Amino acid sequence: MAELRGRVRIAADRCKGCGLCTIACPEEVLVIDHRTVNLKGYSPAVVAQPSGCLGCGNCALMCPDSVITVERFGKQRRAAHV
Amino acid sequence: MTVVHARSKGLTDRETHYCPGCTHGIVHRLVAEVLVEEGLLNEAIGCAAVGCSILSYNYLNVDMVESAHGRAPAVATGVKRVHPNKPVFTYQGDGDLASIGTAEIVHVAHRGEKITTIFVNNAIYGMTGGQMAPTTLPGQKVTTAPDGRDPAHAGLPLRVAEMIAQVPGAAYVERVSVHNPAAVRKAKKAIRNGFLCQMAGHGFSLIEVLSTCPTGWGLSPIESLKWLEDNMIPYYPLGVLRAPEEA
């Protein structure tokens, strides 16, 4: 398994599906899931490729609704995942 | 493991009423993060304006006063004079600050009040349904100018940051944008400088943030960011327009 460098989590119930995170992501980890609808009636962003996350935090910087949490793993934690 | 980004304690748990992709949410978060990081969250007093940001007092986790349309700088002046050691800020949109509140913003700078104004410029009246604002660009289609703003009839857009920068009492004036992650980082730095300038007692600080209105512009949130970059930034150049000499 490849090294996990970061992890992104989205509070899907609060997401308005604007998609600003999807264009901010350099690795195309996030996409809008048009097959689902959340409680607010929007199609939320989902983590399509968790292994690609670099933990850069660009998605969270662009999120207008502050629903994204990003963590970055240090080298020790990365080694544990190999 | 390091948490790179999580919801700021400077924001309340309420969901915003803003349309999907509205960059008001980004600016709210930047203000909240700066207040938390500078240790000002429990001290700060904000003045909300009229417009889409009218409910900002529900979202920012600080004490706030709602002001009459355009009069947030006047209310903030009163608050600051009663509490001279507290950080006081106003959060205003362009329909509020650049049109009905022009007198207040010029004179708060003229008096050199030690407050910070966060001015969100999205070139339209968003809340009332997309009418022409003083900041609407030439040719931009809005509900009150369906063929686009005609400068011969409606004049050219007002560059508020440039106007305030030449007032002697203004200490720090910068125009930033939030159209990509790099711009958001710069915007946060500018908002921090604004508050630091106020706390150092230099005078009035104004941070103009170029923002989007996907609903009012009739574009998708992603197209709106591109439109901002292609159309607004050439007319409203980014950068520091005025700063204290030692800063």
Side-chain angles (χ1 to χ4, degrees), chain B residues 67-234:
Chain B
S67 322
H69 202 180
R71 272 65 189 181
V75 174
T77 299
V79 173
K80 185 71 180 183
R81 290 187 176 195
V82 175
H83 297 289
N85 299 321
K86 303 263 188 194
V88 178
F89 67 95
T90 70
Y91 187 105
Q92 302 174 265
D94 56 325
D96 182 85
L97 183 146
S99 119
I100 194 169
T102 325
E104 277 73 16
I105 198 66
V106 169
H107 281 278
V108 77
H110 158 231
R111 295 190 304 271
E113 299 291 347
K114 292 168 187 63
I115 66 168
T116 301
T117 290
I118 313 296
F119 167 41
V120 179
N121 178 1
N122 60 8
I124 206 164
Y125 278 90
M127 180 213 215
T128 47
Q131 290 83 3
M132 181 162 62
T135 46
T136 297
L137 296 175
Q140 184 183 342
K141 288 183 180 172
V142 289
T143 52
T144 46
D147 296 328
R149 178 174 183 157
D150 176 10
H153 173 68
L156 286 164
L158 200 56
R159 292 187 178 106
V160 172
E162 279 84 347
M163 181 172 79
I164 299 301
Q166 52 157 337
V167 178
Y172 189 85
V173 180
E174 182 169 357
R175 184 185 285 120
V176 291
S177 171
V178 288
H179 66 282
N180 62 32
V184 173
R185 287 190 174 91
K186 282 184 193 155
K188 185 172 175 182
K189 196 174 162 198
I191 292 172
R192 188 189 309 276
N193 285 344
F195 278 100
L196 291 178
C197 187
Q198 173 186 169
M199 297 316 283
H202 291 307
F204 178 69
S205 48
L206 179 131
I207 315 299
E208 176 173 345
V209 186
L210 300 183
S211 181
T212 65
C213 181
T215 304
W217 295 355
L219 299 170
S220 79
I222 292 169
E223 288 166 350
S224 298
L225 295 183
K226 179 85 178 126
W227 194 90
L228 187 161
E229 190 178 1
D230 293 345
N231 297 280
M232 284 184 79
I233 293 179

Side-chain angles (χ1 to χ4, degrees), chain A residues 12-23:
Chain A
D13 280 351
R14 298 175 70 111
C15 177
K16 291 178 187 162
C18 66
L20 299 193
C21 55
T22 62
I23 56 158

Side-chain angles (χ1 to χ4, degrees), chain B residues 39-56:
Chain B
L40 301 173
L41 189 65
N42 293 329
E43 299 287 312
I45 303 169
C47 295
V50 171
C52 284
S53 62
I54 190 166
L55 295 175
S56 56

